[in-house]
Amino acid sequence: MTGELSALQGLRAAWHAHLPYDAAIPVNQRRWIVGEGSLTARLMSASARRFHVTRLAQAPQVPFADEWQALGLVRPVPAITREVLLVCDDVPAVFAHTIVDAYRARRDWPFLRGLGNRPLGGALFVDPRVRREPFQFARLSVHHPLRQALQRVLPAMAAVPMLPARRSVFRRGGGAMLVTEVFLPDLLVRPAPASTGAGGTRLPRRIDTFRALPGQDARP
């Protein structure tokens, strides 16, 4: 019974309004996690050579229980689900998981369908109609579904007992988008740039390098 309870707890995450204290999360990594503004822009600033986005998946999926509730859906129905790796200097730094109510996606998030391997932050943080709700924070065990998705792409992550994560809801018009970001071990040591408030670090006009997985179509 104890083993079953432990497994069930691993499938859920306790989301908090503040990042819980954990000795395994040093000061530099905490700065990455709690920093406001565009995470994409901060990662680009911290990349010595280049930054790129690898799109892993974008397709309808049924959200996890705490996700469809966070989006305000009345029941678990398929939502557009996008998963990417944010990569600094060829080292994965963040695993990002985004869900959007498919019914409202075309009207409220028209850029999502053609986003391809471009960063989501490049669209969200330049649109004055987009507003972001406060962060929630969690520590994800290896059994959490987001960890399982990550570990299918990066099997070595299964050796890391806990990965910190944050999520927030973006709203535009009547639509809601839930973005969850899982912080990988690279950000334990990569110096965190200063946070610049809700508006965030300004994104450059273009990002030179995008990359798809081998065999994956990089077109929108």
Side-chain angles (χ1 to χ4, degrees):
M1 182 67 178
T2 302
E4 292 178 359
L5 179 60
S6 177
L8 287 173
Q9 289 173 337
L11 295 176
R12 294 177 174 269
W15 293 95
H16 304 274
H18 302 282
L19 180 63
Y21 172 78
D22 190 324
I25 304 176
V27 172
N28 182 71
Q29 191 179 37
R30 290 185 73 91
R31 289 183 180 136
W32 277 111
I33 299 167
V34 302
E36 296 183 344
S38 169
L39 178 59
T40 296
R42 298 177 73 218
L43 290 168
M44 293 174 65
S45 176
S47 299
R49 298 184 304 278
R50 63 177 178 175
F51 167 86
H52 69 266
V53 176
T54 296
R55 185 179 64 175
L56 305 173
Q58 185 163 325
Q61 294 182 20
V62 176
F64 310 132
D66 61 346
E67 290 184 325
W68 62 263
Q69 293 168 352
L71 277 184
L73 301 177
V74 296
R75 63 185 185 279
V77 296
I80 296 175
T81 303
R82 172 181 167 88
E83 293 179 341
V84 304
L85 287 173
L86 307 182
V87 184
C88 298
D89 301 322
D90 296 324
V91 180
V94 173
F95 172 67
H97 171 90
T98 300
I99 62 168
V100 176
D101 180 1
Y103 178 74
R104 307 192 72 99
R106 185 180 295 272
R107 182 178 65 184
D108 295 313
W109 310 103
F111 58 83
L112 188 63
R113 184 177 181 182
L115 198 58
N117 289 294
R118 289 173 292 170
L120 181 62
L124 293 178
F125 287 92
V126 297
D127 188 337
R129 293 168 292 181
V130 174
R131 56 188 178 89
R132 184 188 215 170
E133 296 185 353
F135 289 127
Q136 293 181 316
F137 304 92
R139 293 166 292 180
L140 306 184
S141 74
V142 294
H143 301 294
H144 190 276
L146 286 178
R147 290 289 306 271
Q148 295 290 305
L150 169 64
Q151 288 152 204
R152 285 193 290 271
V153 180
L154 298 176
M157 290 296 108
V160 183
M162 181 279 298
L163 287 175
R166 73 181 189 187
R167 71 181 190 181
S168 58
V169 174
F170 290 84
R171 298 194 183 275
R172 183 180 186 274
M177 171 186 290
L178 180 65
V179 178
T180 303
E181 296 153 332
V182 182
F183 293 78
L184 306 186
D186 177 65
L187 298 185
L188 287 167
V189 295
R190 188 177 297 274
S195 177
T196 56
T201 307
R202 184 179 296 276
L203 287 162
R205 292 184 179 274
R206 63 188 294 267
I207 299 173
D208 292 327
T209 307
F210 305 110
R211 180 177 297 176
L213 290 177
Q216 183 184 45
D217 188 353
R219 295 171 298 175

